[in-house]
Amino acid sequence: MTDIEFVFAECERIQKTFSAAVSLQDLPKQDMWGDLPHPEGKGSLMCGRAADQRVWRLAEQAIKYSDAMGTIEIAPVHKALGKILVQRFVVERRPLDEQQAERALSSAVKEAKKARMNRTHYFPCRLMRTKEPPSFAIGPVTFYTLERFNELMAPHYEDLARRGEKDSEKGSNERLLAIARHYYDGFTWVGEVNILNCDGGTSLERARMAVTGAVNLVHILFGSYHTSRMGIGGPRLETDRRAHMSVDPKNGLYISCSSASTSAVGFGDDWVKFLEGEDMAVLLRAANKALETVVNPAIKRTLGSRLLDSAAWFGDAVREESPAAQIIKAVTALERLVLTSEHEDIKKTVSQRGAAIRYGPADTKSFEELESELAEAYVMRSRLAHGSLSPLDPEVSAFAPVCLHRIEQVICWGLGLFEAHGLFDRELTNRQMAEGFDGLVSFAQKRAAPDDSPA
């Protein structure tokens, strides 16, 4: 209520200042920023930067305490709230009390919710060069080869070409379609995802998160070494062609040229068999449950969101060109997976919990070896982040692929572990997760300990 009173007080003050001003240049710049709809229905009413920021914060609060959180953007609520405030408290002269203020905020959210609907999005991707099979799915995200995508979209292309009553509208649609198809044709695959019950901006953001999340999970399932060229969107670049020039006193100008694929090349036509089998079925179920939290705002899975965050850091690490940045992002992925607000002895906590996830009694490496390897990665990240190790040191470039491999294994094993124990389907607090991780560490240490019982 206080914020709304401030908004109208600012409107009144600025109007008085405006009336007394000789020209607009006499007004403070901050008073020229922000406006509300004019009560008479024509033009706008200046409210100033400070008042506009108050309306924005009210819109944020309105969304935060509503059932629309995560399904609508702030901007449409902000716009609707400005109209509602003027209509209710200026035009209709309703009393400005807590009840009326809450109703105004609720009405703004209700107005913005009208834009929510289900939308299907398509993102061009660079995956593998092979064109078999024509499609595969990672949870709710389906990837189509470019050829299969164009077959499926043909009816939509034809519908767009017929749309519009005027020739100019049809011509504009044809030009837009030609530009879009030319861009998509520069990629090998297209990711499809359906986002439920969101407004346009939120739907687009969630769709990009979902398809990127699916690619991140592909990095983890297939390994960073084989998938480093995979990605979503970006510049249209069918082939990565580069050149370099150098001059030396003996030979003069020397030119070297290179050409490389922008998609992964190490996949044969039968690669999809890797997605078969019981173990992979568990991992794919886990991926589906994690990604469902993005495509359907009504689904909340604490561990699923944590896993996707970790995969996001890891995916960034895989696609990163700088070895130092790869190490920093990969270890951050591990931290996001296993840390639960701890502030002391972080290296030990991260390395032990990561090792516990990765450890198996039949493994060739002991629990202590796995812990030591992850601790080494953590120390390397710390040395880089705190400036005691140069990002150009040869040690860094040599360790980056090792670091990626170690951490991708932890995340991959985490996928299977969490799904096998039904943890994605439980709402877990940080405290519960910390107790679970520590219990897993104790269990792994006991299993790794030599059997001292008498024969």
Side-chain angles (χ1 to χ4, degrees):
M1 190 173 71
T2 304
D3 286 332
I4 298 175
E5 291 174 343
F6 175 81
V7 170
F8 288 124
E10 282 292 275
C11 288
E12 184 177 355
R13 178 187 66 78
I14 291 173
Q15 290 306 306
K16 290 180 179 179
T17 304
F18 182 77
S19 299
V22 177
S23 69
L24 293 178
Q25 294 180 348
D26 296 332
L27 294 175
K29 290 183 178 180
Q30 61 267 26
D31 287 350
M32 301 291 290
W33 180 279
D35 57 66
L36 298 173
H38 199 281
E40 296 179 1
K42 297 180 180 179
S44 59
L45 185 68
M46 286 189 292
C47 64
R49 182 187 297 272
D52 187 66
Q53 289 175 339
R54 295 284 185 100
V55 178
W56 185 271
R57 286 201 295 269
L58 287 170
E60 287 180 319
Q61 294 175 17
I63 295 175
K64 183 178 180 180
Y65 297 106
S66 76
D67 62 355
M69 183 71 174
T71 67
I72 56 177
E73 294 184 299
I74 299 172
V77 179
H78 172 261
K79 182 179 180 180
L81 182 57
K83 293 180 180 179
I84 290 169
L85 292 179
V86 171
Q87 179 63 32
R88 287 174 179 251
F89 301 117
V90 179
V91 177
E92 300 175 9
R93 297 186 179 278
R94 298 189 190 188
L96 181 50
D97 53 33
E98 290 292 339
Q99 184 181 53
Q100 288 294 336
E102 290 178 2
R103 286 179 178 177
L105 268 60
S106 177
S107 296
V109 172
K110 185 177 180 180
E111 180 66 25
K113 285 166 65 174
K114 294 178 181 178
R116 298 191 303 185
M117 64 178 69
N118 299 344
R119 290 177 175 85
T120 302
H121 298 263
Y122 302 92
F123 291 89
C125 303
R126 294 186 179 91
L127 300 180
M128 58 286 293
R129 292 293 298 179
T130 179
K131 299 179 181 179
E132 294 294 336
S135 68
F136 71 97
I138 301 294
V141 178
T142 300
F143 293 101
Y144 296 102
T145 62
L146 181 64
E147 291 76 8
R148 181 58 178 153
F149 168 72
N150 282 327
E151 289 175 5
L152 294 174
M153 295 297 289
H156 298 286
Y157 296 156
E158 294 172 2
D159 176 67
L160 181 65
R162 292 192 298 266
R163 200 181 303 170
E165 298 179 359
K166 299 179 181 179
D167 290 341
S168 59
E169 292 177 344
K170 293 182 178 180
S172 176
N173 288 339
E174 290 176 356
R175 287 191 295 273
L176 285 174
L177 179 58
I179 293 170
R181 292 195 63 179
H182 175 73
Y183 175 66
Y184 276 64
D185 285 347
F187 294 79
T188 49
W189 294 75
V190 177
E192 175 195 70
V193 64
N194 185 39
I195 303 298
L196 305 180
N197 198 36
C198 291
D199 67 10
T202 306
S203 182
L204 176 61
E205 180 182 359
R206 282 182 172 270
R208 184 177 288 109
M209 288 171 58
V211 177
T212 304
V215 174
N216 293 335
L217 291 168
V218 168
H219 288 311
I220 293 165
L221 296 176
F222 288 92
S224 56
Y225 177 79
H226 301 287
T227 62
S228 60
R229 293 179 180 177
M230 294 185 179
I232 170 177
R236 185 186 190 277
L237 197 65
E238 294 181 69
T239 304
D240 185 4
R241 292 188 173 90
R242 306 190 185 196
H244 178 73
M245 297 184 186
S246 61
V247 175
D248 65 67
K250 183 178 179 180
N251 300 304
L253 177 63
Y254 174 78
I255 297 176
S256 62
C257 298
S258 65
S259 178
S261 172
T262 53
S263 297
V265 295
F267 289 76
D269 290 341
D270 61 345
W271 70 267
V272 76
K273 292 181 179 179
F274 182 78
L275 296 179
E276 300 172 356
E278 294 183 9
D279 291 342
M280 183 56 67
V282 173
L283 296 177
L284 290 176
R285 284 200 305 271
N288 180 64
K289 289 181 179 180
L291 288 169
E292 277 183 334
T293 63
V294 181
V295 302
N296 187 351
I299 296 177
K300 309 295 182 184
R301 292 192 176 110
T302 307
L303 204 53
S305 298
R306 174 180 287 265
L307 191 285
L308 285 183
D309 289 347
S310 177
W313 277 111
F314 185 78
D316 279 352
V318 175
R319 297 185 291 271
E320 177 64 62
E321 292 188 1
S322 163
Q326 285 186 317
I327 294 170
I328 290 172
K329 291 180 178 181
V331 175
T332 303
L334 180 60
E335 286 183 320
R336 179 59 185 131
L337 182 67
V338 302
L339 284 182
T340 51
S341 302
E342 289 80 9
H343 300 287
E344 297 180 1
D345 209 358
I346 301 300
K347 183 183 77 171
K348 181 179 179 181
T349 302
V350 169
S351 57
Q352 285 193 341
R353 290 180 179 180
I357 291 173
R358 172 63 183 82
Y359 176 69
D363 205 326
T364 56
K365 292 183 179 180
S366 67
F367 176 83
E368 289 74 17
E369 286 179 293
L370 293 171
E371 179 186 353
S372 177
E373 289 180 350
L374 294 176
E376 180 185 19
Y378 186 89
V379 170
M380 180 73 78
R381 192 285 300 268
S382 297
R383 292 169 63 197
L384 286 167
H386 299 298
S388 62
L389 178 64
S390 168
L392 305 179
D393 193 298
E395 178 185 5
V396 175
S397 58
F399 186 72
V402 176
C403 179
L404 288 173
H405 180 65
R406 290 174 181 176
I407 292 173
E408 80 187 22
Q409 286 190 320
V410 175
I411 301 174
C412 188
W413 281 56
L415 267 174
L417 178 70
F418 300 155
E419 171 58 19
H421 290 272
L423 299 180
F424 284 115
D425 300 314
R426 296 174 55 189
E427 279 300 299
L428 301 170
T429 64
N430 269 355
R431 180 177 179 179
Q432 289 173 319
M433 282 189 284
E435 292 173 350
F437 280 131
D438 292 341
L440 182 63
V441 170
S442 297
F443 179 71
Q445 289 174 329
K446 288 178 181 178
R447 295 182 73 183
D451 188 1
D452 296 328
S453 60

